[in-house]
Amino acid sequence: MRVLLVEDQLQLAESVAQALKDTGLTVDVLHDGVAADLALSSEEYAVAILDVGLPRMNGFEVLARLRARGKTLPVLMLTARSDVKDRVHGLNLGADDYLAKPFELTELEARVKALLRRSVLGGERLQQCGSLVYDLGTRRFTLADELLTLTSREQAVLEALIARPGRVMSKEQLAAQVFGLDEEASSDAIEIYIHRLRKKLDDQGVAIVTFRGLGYLLEGRDV
């Protein structure tokens, strides 16, 4: 799953990004509001983390423009402001959560997980397809009650597929979830990850089905 972090304090941005990457998330880091607005209008994210005091365009304006485009992407606002009016203003604009600086990284991780659970899995902690079960709390997959060992890229592809039950995902959509802004998205690489996942899922009651010219679908099957 892909997260956008927009924070102009470089050291804080680096610390937060690394903490989220350590949990297996793909994280794009930007440092101003104009760049954030452009990314939010052209890229697909599971959650956005916006600092209020951004240069060129503040976090409130970025949020307002996002909601004006009809986007329901969950947004966590970061702020050094303690004024209740500012928090109310952000929530009224459509923020889903607020976190005041300074904060503990563990609290931010927990809040991001809660937003992911609501947005990606419809509020459920567990998602199941056949014998494959995904636990958003631990971000682990089990297959036939056994822990499934995955690389970070394989994890990202499988998370994207299981979060969209019954939906075909194109290579481009999968690549958007796997690769960050600073990486070259490759549809050929997606084919490799799909091939590896199929070998790990083989004969275990779940399959990745190819729809030629359209993409891939995760499907539960009888063993």
Side-chain angles (χ1 to χ4, degrees), residues 1-221:
M1 283 175 277
R2 193 174 172 195
V3 173
L4 176 65
L5 169 63
V6 192
E7 169 59 63
D8 64 325
Q9 296 180 31
L10 301 186
Q11 187 172 0
L12 176 60
E14 183 178 347
S15 297
V16 171
Q18 189 58 57
L20 294 175
K21 288 177 181 178
D22 287 345
T23 69
L25 294 169
T26 299
V27 184
D28 289 338
V29 182
L30 298 174
H31 305 294
D32 71 78
V34 171
D37 183 55
L38 178 60
L40 288 169
S41 64
S42 60
E43 302 292 328
E44 183 179 348
Y45 295 100
V47 169
I49 304 170
L50 289 178
D51 181 38
V52 171
L54 294 171
R56 297 212 292 167
M57 183 188 299
N58 68 42
F60 289 143
E61 188 173 352
V62 174
L63 175 61
R65 290 170 65 89
L66 176 72
R67 296 301 185 230
R69 292 193 292 270
K71 300 294 186 180
T72 59
L73 172 72
V75 175
L76 169 63
M77 303 293 291
L78 303 179
T79 180
R81 305 179 186 184
S82 58
D83 194 332
V84 173
K85 290 182 180 179
D86 283 330
R87 299 191 186 195
V88 170
H89 179 53
L91 292 170
N92 285 338
L93 286 174
D96 296 273
D97 200 357
Y98 241 103
L99 192 57
K101 300 175 183 178
F103 52 82
E104 295 291 334
L105 289 175
T106 52
E107 181 179 2
L108 182 138
E109 290 171 19
R111 289 174 182 264
V112 169
K113 281 184 179 179
L115 291 176
L116 286 170
R117 186 163 58 248
R118 274 186 268 161
S119 66
V120 178
L121 300 183
E124 299 295 328
R125 180 186 173 102
L126 300 178
Q127 188 81 11
Q128 184 167 3
C129 181
S131 61
L132 182 69
V133 178
Y134 176 62
D135 186 330
L136 183 57
T138 61
R139 299 199 65 235
R140 291 181 177 180
F141 283 94
T142 56
L143 183 64
D145 297 323
E146 296 290 334
L147 182 64
L148 186 60
T149 302
L150 302 168
T151 67
S152 60
R153 300 295 199 196
E154 292 167 355
Q155 172 98 7
V157 170
L158 199 53
E159 282 178 336
L161 289 171
I162 202 168
R164 295 159 179 81
R167 284 176 52 187
V168 176
M169 292 199 70
S170 68
K171 292 179 186 178
E172 292 74 21
Q173 288 174 318
L174 289 171
Q177 296 300 310
V178 173
F179 300 100
L181 287 173
D182 58 348
E183 299 174 301
E184 184 178 352
S186 168
S187 59
D188 290 339
I190 296 299
E191 289 185 5
I192 293 172
Y193 302 140
I194 292 291
H195 175 71
R196 291 176 181 171
L197 286 169
R198 280 177 169 150
K199 291 177 67 176
K200 293 181 178 183
L201 300 174
D202 189 37
D203 297 327
Q204 293 294 327
V206 61
I208 300 175
V209 182
T210 299
F211 289 81
R212 294 196 178 278
L214 296 175
Y216 304 99
L217 171 71
L218 190 67
E219 180 180 83
R221 293 179 173 177

